[in-house]
Structures are given as C-alpha cells and as structure tokens.
C-alpha cells in the first residue's frame, strides 16, 4: 500500500478532507489515512465524469419534461459529526441526465452501541467481536447511487468501505466490504453483459474465484424477500474481506472502484438521448418503488447508519430516488419487455460466459 503523497492538495477532492490534510500526510502510511485519500479521490473522479455528461446534455436534450433544467453540477456538502469524523455528501439533483445522483464519503469514529455490536455479530460471523459492551470503531467508505432521468439508462449503486473495531482483549479486527450493482428499467442484454464483464475482469486480476462467488452473493443480498424478486440484475457484493492480507484486500478494492466508470459510463453515453414513452417512465418509477422498499427494509448499510449514534439521516437516505411510485396489483403484460425483465429479476442468469 503506497503511503499518502506528501504533495497532495485538496484540489484533488470535492472539498477539504474530513481528516485535516496535514494529519493525513503525517500518518500517511496508516491504512486509515491511505483509505480516506483513496475514497476522496474516487469521489472526485466519478463526480467529474458525471458532470461532464450532464453539461454536455445542454446542447443535445430538448424535451418538454426537461425544459428549464440546465446541466447541473454536484453540490459538495461537507459535514462533521460531534461523536467523531464526518463526511462529504455530493448531490446532483434535477439534472437533464441525472434526476438524482449522490456520491457520499464518510469517515467516522466512535463507540458502537451494545445493540449495534449484537447486530454486527450476526452479520460478521467470522469476525471476533465481544458482545455485552460498547466497542471503539473506525469506519470509512464511499457509497453512491445514480438515478437517471431516461428509463433507458440504468441506476447504478456502488459502495466500498473499510472497518476497524476493537475486538476481544483489545485486538484490532479489520475488514473490507462493498460491491457494485445495476438496476435497469429496460431489458438490454448487451448492457448487462458489458457491466458484468467489466466487473469480472477487475475481479480476475486478483482471484479467478472472486467474480462467480461475489456475483452469487450479490444476487442473494439484493433480494426483496416480500416480493420474491431481485432489485436489479446484480453485479458483485462481498463482506468480511480480510484475507489473504491487508495489502491484497486493498488492491482488490482499488480495482473494483476503478471499474465503476468503465462499467457504467458507456451505458449512460449510449442511452441518455433515446426517446421513451410515458409507459416506460411509469415502469421506471414503479421499479424505483422497489428500490426504496429494499433500501428501507433490508439494506445493512441503512440499518447500521440508523443504529450509529449521531448518524446523519440526509446522507444515509441519499440513495433514495427523487421520484418513485407504487400501484396496486400492477403486473407487466405477458411477453412484454417489462415481463422479460421481471423474469430475470426472479431468476438471475449468468452474463459472463
């Protein structure tokens, strides 16, 4: 793991770093400092890439629904947490291409409550945690959800995080987690294959077993049990990653995060100018309703955020769409494009040969 560059400036971030820059440089060989700089840099690159498309849309999109919108930029909202740490929430809202885009970085420290420790023990069975008392923790991560305006452009979510906690007898337990997944509104096999192949390539550079394993975990995790369907067409998802070494795990995380732009931006570029019908827009909003259901009922990150003292609710709920819809007993027409997509959501398939 390369230490923090001593010539680093905050111009490479969306705002001032959460930890003072001088302190990051002074502790530049620590995992905490290296990971904070990494996620701040990923946030900047992704925001700039999305802004470039949004600004370009000024000259190309003319639509009655979007009159009055201009190419928006991200608003960087830097916040602090009195219990320790803080974050930068970047939001682009009501754009021509992106109806709501959120890219959130958080670096927090504090004490996990007894209830949170019990919940974490259930989720992280391989991590040695001591129940019955509050435990000091450090958590840093980047999380993003992009909700496009055009139904032909899928929603993407990615999250990469590092966690440290004081376990039994004062030992430090650490692990990485994260993933990237796609929620489409239009059935498009070529897009699904491109997305999955890009992630598979990133995984294969480290371990050939990673992609099939983490693809299956993604399909299992983003499952809306009360609906009997997945949130989308998946991607990769993993947790409790602490082998074979810290440097190996971080290298893998870097490859996954660096794959986000090439796996997603081509899908945006190829589809954001396509025309769409009111029925396609209606279907998009219904699928976003499912997105809300999953995030509020099942998502571990949302639950952890709510259980963390001093949690910032606006940042936790940054993943929710600007618009969503629910209709009573809605069912796609048999044989339609929507029906074809629903079959995949109920029975996932392999997209990489």
């Amino acid at each position: 793991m390369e230490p923090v560059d001593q010539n680093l400036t905050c111009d490479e971030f969306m705002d001032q770093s959460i930890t003072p820059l001088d302190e990051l440089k002074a502790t530049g060989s620590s995992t905490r400092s290296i990971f904070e700089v990494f996620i701040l840099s990923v946030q900047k690159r992704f925001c700039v890439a999305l802004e470039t498309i949004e600004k370009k849309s000024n000259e190309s999109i003319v639509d009655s629904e979007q009159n009055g919108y201009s190419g928006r930029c991200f608003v960087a909202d830097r916040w602090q947490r009195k219990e320790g740490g803080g974050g930068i929430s970047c939001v682009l809202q009501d754009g021509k291409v992106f109806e709501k885009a959120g890219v959130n970085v958080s670096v927090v420290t504090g004490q996990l409550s007894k209830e949170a420790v019990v919940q974490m023990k259930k989720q992280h069975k391989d991590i040695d945690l001591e129940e019955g008392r509050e435990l000091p923790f450090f958590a840093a991560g980047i999380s993003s959800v992009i909700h496009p305006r055009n139904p032909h452009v899928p929603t993407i979510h990615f999250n990469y995080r590092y966690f440290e906690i004081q376990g039994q007898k004062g030992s430090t337990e650490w692990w990485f987690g994260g993933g990237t997944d796609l929620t489409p509104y239009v059935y498009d096999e070529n897009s699904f294959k491109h997305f999955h192949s890009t992630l598979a390539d990133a995984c294969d550079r480290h371990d050939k077993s990673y992609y099939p394993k983490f693809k299956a975990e993604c399909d299992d995790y983003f499952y809306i049990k009360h609906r009997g369907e997945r949130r989308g067409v998946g991607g990769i998802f993993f947790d409790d990653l602490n082998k074979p070494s810290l440097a190996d795990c971080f290298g893998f995380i870097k490859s996954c995060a660096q794959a986000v732009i090439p796996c997603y931006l081509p899908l945006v570029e190829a589809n954001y100018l396509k025309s769409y019908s009111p029925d396609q827009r209606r279907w998009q909003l219904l699928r976003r309703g499912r997105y809300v259901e999953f995030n509020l009922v099942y998502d571990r990150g949302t639950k952890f955020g709510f259980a963390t003292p001093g949690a910032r609710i606006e940042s936790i709920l940054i993943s929710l769409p600007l618009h969503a819809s629910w209709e009573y007993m809605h069912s796609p027409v048999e044989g339609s494009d929507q029906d074809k997509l629903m079959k995949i959501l109920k029975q996932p398939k392999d997209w990489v040969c």
Side-chain angles (χ1 to χ4, degrees), residues 209-225:
S209 71
Y210 277 175
Y211 173 74
K213 177 183 177 182
F214 297 150
K215 194 268 186 188
E217 289 188 21
C218 188
D219 289 334
D220 289 342
Y221 179 72
F222 292 104
Y223 181 61
I224 309 172
K225 297 185 181 72

Side-chain angles (χ1 to χ4, degrees), residues 30-211:
S30 72
T31 304
R32 293 185 179 193
S33 295
I34 293 170
F35 195 77
E36 178 175 341
V37 169
F38 166 66
I39 56 180
L40 288 170
S41 300
V42 171
Q43 181 186 47
K44 177 66 176 279
R45 288 196 299 272
F46 192 51
C47 287
V48 169
L50 297 182
E51 282 182 351
T52 300
I53 295 176
E54 184 65 33
K55 292 174 181 176
K56 187 168 65 173
S57 71
N58 276 344
E59 303 172 359
S60 52
I61 292 182
V62 179
D63 190 293
S64 59
E65 181 187 355
Q66 297 163 16
N67 281 345
Y69 295 116
S70 59
R72 302 294 174 93
C73 293
F74 277 93
V75 173
D77 181 16
R78 187 178 184 276
W79 48 273
Q80 292 183 307
R81 179 174 170 272
K82 65 179 182 179
E83 292 82 1
I88 302 173
S89 296
C90 294
V91 180
L92 189 159
Q93 192 162 281
D94 268 344
K96 283 189 173 183
V97 179
F98 304 109
E99 196 163 82
K100 184 181 178 187
V103 190
N104 190 54
V105 160
S106 61
V107 179
V108 299
T109 58
Q111 298 284 324
L112 280 183
S113 66
K114 295 177 183 179
E115 294 76 17
V117 172
V118 171
Q119 182 67 29
M120 185 168 286
K121 184 73 172 179
K122 293 178 182 177
Q123 296 171 359
H124 303 270
K125 294 180 174 58
D126 296 333
I127 304 298
D128 186 17
L129 299 178
E130 181 180 353
E131 295 184 27
R133 68 179 180 89
E134 294 185 345
L135 297 177
F137 78 95
F138 168 88
I142 179 168
S143 181
S144 176
V145 177
I146 309 302
H147 292 296
R149 186 174 296 278
N150 191 315
H152 289 282
V153 184
T155 283
I156 191 176
H157 157 258
F158 72 90
N159 171 275
Y160 292 100
R161 57 194 178 274
Y162 173 71
F163 210 98
E164 283 184 3
I165 194 166
Q166 296 299 311
Q168 299 280 14
K169 300 177 182 179
S171 63
T172 299
E173 299 286 344
W174 62 265
W175 65 91
F176 293 90
T180 303
D181 66 281
L182 196 72
T183 300
Y185 310 104
V186 174
Y187 189 90
D188 182 351
E189 284 199 10
N190 289 333
S191 292
F192 305 160
K193 289 176 179 178
H194 168 82
F195 181 80
H196 278 268
S197 296
T198 307
L199 295 178
D201 289 343
C203 291
D204 288 350
R205 289 198 290 273
H206 299 269
D207 190 317
K208 294 285 187 180
S209 71
Y210 277 175
Y211 173 74

